[in-house]
Amino acid sequence: MDKVILLLSVLSLGVSSQPITDSQRLFSIAVSRVQHLHLLAQRLFSDFESSLQTEEQRQLNKIFLQDFCNSDYIISPIDKHETQRSSVLKLLSISYRLVESWEFPSRSLSGGSAQRNQISPKLSELKTGILLLIRANQDAAEIFSDSSALQLAPYGNYYQSLGADESLKRAYELLACFKKDMHKVETYLTVAKCRLSPEANCTL
């Protein structure tokens, strides 16, 4: 009986000490980076809202609810159930495109503080990490064979000189959309990472 218990203990120890794969390590880094970006986006958006008058907040929120983010053109799961049914490769591909869509708009978010200046380099690091994960799962050329059809135009007024009201609206829109998209990417990468552990509960 003692021998059986000892054998079970050894087997249990062997299961719990499985080596971490390169893919798992890359996923952990990617999830950590997008969590940082999402928290940063939340903080910047909250600080921006705090600087507004109550009526300005109400009007801008009303306008934003009627509008849409530029990245909404990227087809992504409509709810948590579809997210959980999506393959790891699909979640990685969508995450890559979401991050890529902020490559130029993020420049408008930079400047003014050390936190804002972190955005563009952090996005670039995240994009590189996701691409490495995609390549580890499948040929990147196959994944992005239709990328030419997914080139997103910059935000409508991104390059225009704007008046005070429109400038305020653009800043609100960029911060709100950035926060929304980083939340999406965090969710998709977290679910994809969870799939690497067969025994894990990936319920959202």
Side-chain angles (χ1 to χ4, degrees), residues 75-87 90-91 195:
I75 299 173
S76 59
I78 58 173
D79 54 31
K80 64 180 182 180
H81 301 295
E82 188 176 342
T83 299
Q84 290 175 317
R85 290 196 299 268
S86 299
S87 68
K90 181 178 180 180
L91 294 174
R195 298 275 177 78

Side-chain angles (χ1 to χ4, degrees), residues 10-193:
V10 171
L11 289 173
S12 176
L13 181 62
V15 170
S16 63
S17 60
Q18 289 293 326
I20 298 174
T21 66
D22 288 341
S23 185
Q24 287 173 316
R25 190 175 292 106
L26 277 174
F27 262 116
S28 294
I29 294 171
V31 169
S32 177
R33 284 179 175 165
V34 74
Q35 285 174 340
H36 176 79
L37 279 166
H38 185 209
L39 286 172
L40 180 58
Q42 288 177 316
R43 193 176 302 121
L44 291 174
F45 183 71
S46 178
D47 290 347
F48 182 78
E49 276 201 315
S50 298
S51 70
L52 301 173
Q53 300 294 328
T54 303
E55 182 59 22
E56 286 178 325
Q57 286 187 31
R58 191 182 69 80
Q59 289 296 330
L60 286 170
N61 185 59
K62 182 179 179 181
I63 292 170
F64 179 70
L65 290 174
Q66 295 171 347
D67 210 343
F68 59 90
C69 295
N70 201 41
S71 56
D72 288 347
Y73 288 110
I74 299 170
I75 299 173
S76 59
I78 58 173
D79 54 31
K80 64 180 182 180
H81 301 295
E82 188 176 342
T83 299
Q84 290 175 317
R85 290 196 299 268
S86 299
S87 68
V88 169
L89 207 53
K90 181 178 180 180
L91 294 174
L92 286 171
S93 178
I94 296 168
S95 296
Y96 182 90
R97 285 166 175 155
L98 284 169
V99 171
E100 187 179 43
S101 75
W102 280 98
E103 198 162 13
F104 291 107
S106 67
R107 297 175 187 177
S108 185
L109 296 174
S110 300
S113 72
Q115 286 185 337
R116 284 177 174 267
N117 289 331
Q118 293 179 30
I119 295 174
S120 289
K122 291 292 183 184
L123 281 170
S124 180
E125 291 172 359
L126 180 59
K127 178 183 171 182
T128 300
I130 295 173
L131 185 57
L132 287 172
L133 284 166
I134 289 172
R135 286 173 174 166
N137 283 271
Q138 193 170 333
D139 182 11
E142 182 176 346
I143 298 300
F144 299 113
S145 59
D146 62 342
S147 61
S148 59
L150 278 156
Q151 294 297 318
L152 301 181
Y155 282 81
N157 54 16
Y158 183 72
Y159 294 110
Q160 298 174 13
S161 296
L162 305 174
D165 289 344
E166 282 299 309
S167 181
L168 193 68
K169 178 178 177 291
R170 180 177 69 179
Y172 186 93
E173 176 189 65
L174 284 173
L175 287 169
C177 288
F178 183 58
K179 180 167 72 80
K180 173 185 173 183
D181 287 347
M182 290 306 101
H183 179 252
K184 280 185 179 180
V185 177
E186 181 181 356
T187 299
Y188 300 155
L189 291 184
T190 299
V191 171
K193 176 178 180 287

